[in-house]
């Protein structure tokens, strides 16, 4: 009888000791020590660094293996000395004169003039290769102009490099004026005595009295035929000190006919 009681006592002690060990172990797992927390933090930090490096490397590989529309075509980049025959040939093969600028405010339809053939061909060429779809109306001067065709993203810079660093000879001798709704080519002011145009940037005249001081200085190569109310909305967006809109006004441009 005594032996049986002793065995029961020993069993009870072992049982409760086991329970206490389990409880202690559970409490330890529920409340990690400072050393364990520091070890976990270091492991997480190391893994995040590895993930970041891998992500950057994947992006670099993707970019290296992705060609722009311009890189896929043997005619690019276009050298300045080859520009006029290239644009004349392209203009003959692509006679379209109407384009649509799509923005979050609505659409603006533009008719391009045939008597400014170099500017028309260049614009149609860029639009058909989706250059403008990555750009913004980047300059807004209320009552004066809204200017588009630039952006602060890398793809726009890459596209410009792929197209070429040429300038378009002025065609303002065609006689088109900077009236309200005129579609004109921007130009670089420095060392540009010939008043040649930027191939990438354009502006729409927003002054209802026109901007005659720009005549014979910039080439007007089209006019807005629908959507000046949309252009007016864009002209009222909030801008920073550089006239760049605080919220980017993105665009897509579609060639109509």
């Amino acid at each position: 009888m005594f032996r049986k009681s002793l065995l029961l006592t020993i069993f009870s002690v072992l049982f409760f000791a086991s329970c206490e060990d389990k409880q202690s172990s559970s409490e330890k797992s529920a409340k990690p020590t400072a050393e364990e927390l520091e070890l976990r933090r270091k492991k997480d930090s190391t893994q995040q660094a590895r993930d970041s490096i891998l992500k950057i490397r994947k992006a670099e590989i993707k970019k290296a293996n992705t060609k722009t529309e311009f890189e896929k075509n043997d005619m690019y980049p276009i050298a300045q000395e080859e520009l006029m025959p290239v644009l004349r040939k392209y203009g003959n093969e692509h006679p379209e004169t109407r384009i649509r600028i799509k923005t979050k405010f609505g659409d603006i339809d533009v008719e391009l003039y045939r008597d400014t053939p170099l500017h028309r061909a260049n614009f149609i060429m860029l639009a058909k290769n989706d250059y403008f779809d990555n750009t913004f109306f980047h300059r807004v001067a209320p009552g004066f102009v809204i200017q588009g065709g630039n952006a602060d993203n890398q793809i726009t810079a890459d596209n410009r490099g792929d197209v070429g660093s040429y300038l378009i000879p002025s065609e303002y001798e065609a006689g088109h004026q900077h009236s309200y709704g005129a579609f004109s080519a921007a130009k670089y002011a420095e060392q540009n005595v010939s008043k040649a145009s930027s191939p990438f940037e354009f502006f729409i005249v927003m002054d209802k009295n026109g901007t005659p001081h720009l005549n014979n200085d910039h080439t007007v190569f089209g006019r807005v035929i629908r959507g000046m109310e949309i252009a007016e909305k864009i002209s009222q967006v909030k801008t920073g000190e550089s006239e760049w809109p605080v919220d980017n006004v993105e665009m897509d441009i579609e060639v109509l006919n």
Side-chain angles (χ1 to χ4, degrees), residues 27-217:
E27 288 176 352
K28 287 182 180 179
S29 63
K31 295 181 180 180
T33 65
E35 291 79 5
E36 289 174 330
L37 288 172
E38 179 63 16
L39 182 60
R40 289 182 189 178
R41 186 191 67 77
K42 288 181 178 179
K43 286 183 178 179
D44 290 344
S45 178
T46 301
Q47 188 59 48
Q48 287 175 3
R50 288 172 179 168
D51 290 345
S52 179
I53 293 171
L54 181 60
K55 183 178 180 181
I56 292 171
R57 183 57 184 153
K58 283 182 177 179
E60 290 175 345
I61 293 172
K62 182 178 180 182
K63 182 178 178 180
N65 293 331
T66 301
K67 289 188 175 182
T68 68
E69 292 300 317
F70 300 103
E71 286 182 299
K72 295 174 185 176
N73 195 316
D74 291 339
M75 70 183 283
Y76 305 107
I78 302 174
Q80 186 69 51
E81 59 271 19
E82 300 170 350
L83 178 66
M84 293 181 70
V86 166
L87 289 184
R88 284 170 180 160
K89 182 176 185 294
Y90 192 92
N92 290 333
E93 295 172 349
H94 301 266
E96 297 90 344
T97 59
R98 295 196 177 191
I99 59 101
R100 176 166 293 158
I101 304 171
K102 300 178 179 180
T103 76
K104 61 185 177 182
F105 297 99
D107 298 343
I108 302 171
D109 288 357
V110 178
E111 177 186 17
L112 305 180
Y113 298 136
R114 292 191 181 279
D115 57 1
T116 51
L118 300 178
H119 285 73
R120 183 195 68 80
N122 179 78
F123 197 90
I124 294 296
M125 177 185 68
L126 293 181
K128 283 193 170 185
N129 283 279
D130 300 326
Y131 165 79
F132 294 107
D133 293 358
N134 300 295
T135 65
F136 317 137
F137 275 102
H138 61 279
R139 181 193 177 197
V140 170
F144 181 43
V145 301
I146 57 173
Q147 185 168 325
N150 198 2
D152 54 0
N153 53 48
Q154 187 59 45
I155 191 170
T156 297
D158 290 344
N159 280 341
R160 289 187 175 202
D162 294 338
V163 173
S165 58
Y166 60 86
L167 296 177
I168 306 173
S170 64
E171 294 180 299
Y172 55 71
E173 66 276 5
H176 301 295
Q177 305 296 298
H178 284 84
S179 55
Y180 180 64
F183 195 76
S184 187
K187 67 180 180 65
Y188 304 115
E190 296 181 4
Q191 299 179 344
N192 189 9
V193 294
S194 65
K195 301 177 182 179
S197 302
S198 159
F200 305 111
E201 298 180 26
F202 62 89
F203 63 88
I204 298 172
V205 175
M206 301 306 300
D207 189 331
K208 293 186 177 180
N209 296 316
T211 55
H213 64 284
L214 298 180
N215 294 339
N216 301 323
D217 197 35

Side-chain angles (χ1 to χ4, degrees), residues 225-243:
I225 56 176
R226 186 180 71 85
M228 277 304 292
E229 72 280 4
I230 304 302
E232 289 288 357
K233 289 180 181 179
I234 295 172
S235 74
Q236 298 304 315
V237 300
K238 184 178 179 181
T239 63
E241 293 181 2
S242 63
E243 298 181 324

